[in-house]
Amino acid sequence: MTVRTTKRSAGLLVYRHTGDGLEVLLGHMGGPLWAKKEAGAWTVPKGEYEAGEPSWEAARREFQEELGLAPPDGEAVPLGEVVQRNGKVVTAWALPGDPDLTGFSPGTFTMEWPPRSGRQTEFPELDRVAWLGLPEAREVIITAQAAFLDRLAEHSG
């Protein structure tokens, strides 16, 4: 019998208030599968963690790994969990901040590319990051993660 374990990720939805309203920091997923996509290709900076690790600590660690930037300090607002279409459970916190994105240096992953070539190629986990207003963020974020935007808007209302 095969035991399936649910993959879990944790992340930080960093936000700031500007003259144009509330903005969130999202990352565009890297690699060839996402290169020409916008809608559904942006994500809260997040990553997987193991069962024994507290999700808050994983979220802060993953922010650092995914962006190469220290996570902001501040009072975090728990945004709860969502289940993505692939079955992964994502936990997120909203955290106010305005990190200097000139230091953006993403972590990488390796995959076979092109398919069936036998060649392993390294790609950035996130190929770019951007501050997006909530309406624009809703158009491009992974569908299940839009709930985090709604929860942040309720909290900031």
Side-chain angles (χ1 to χ4, degrees):
M1 183 169 93
T2 304
V3 177
R4 285 182 64 111
T5 57
T6 301
K7 289 188 176 185
R8 302 185 72 81
S9 284
L12 299 178
L13 181 59
V14 176
Y15 67 93
R16 66 184 182 185
H17 294 278
T18 71
D20 294 328
L22 188 62
E23 293 182 336
V24 293
L25 181 62
L26 297 180
H28 183 271
M29 292 184 280
L33 303 178
W34 302 102
K36 295 183 175 156
K37 295 180 178 152
E38 287 296 310
W42 290 76
T43 182
V44 170
K46 62 174 181 45
E48 291 184 15
Y49 64 99
E50 298 300 322
E53 184 179 11
S55 54
W56 166 247
E57 290 176 20
R60 292 184 58 81
R61 173 181 50 77
E62 287 295 334
F63 185 91
Q64 176 83 43
E65 288 179 12
E66 297 270 316
L67 279 73
L69 303 170
D73 291 321
E75 191 168 331
V77 176
L79 298 177
E81 296 180 341
V82 298
V83 179
Q84 296 182 164
R85 193 174 2 194
N86 62 5
K88 182 182 286 183
V89 177
V90 179
T91 304
W93 285 265
L95 194 60
D98 193 1
D100 180 1
L101 299 182
T102 59
F104 172 61
S105 176
T108 60
F109 69 96
T110 303
M111 67 182 276
E112 183 180 18
W113 193 260
R116 297 177 293 288
S117 68
R119 188 174 334 137
Q120 295 293 309
T121 306
E122 192 171 74
F123 297 99
E125 295 209 34
L126 299 174
D127 57 22
R128 61 191 189 275
V129 291
W131 288 104
L132 303 172
L134 290 184
E136 186 181 5
R138 276 191 187 89
E139 291 177 14
V140 298
I141 198 166
I142 294 171
T143 304
Q145 291 183 24
F148 294 142
L149 302 177
D150 297 338
R151 295 170 192 167
L152 173 61
E154 287 173 21
H155 170 76
S156 299

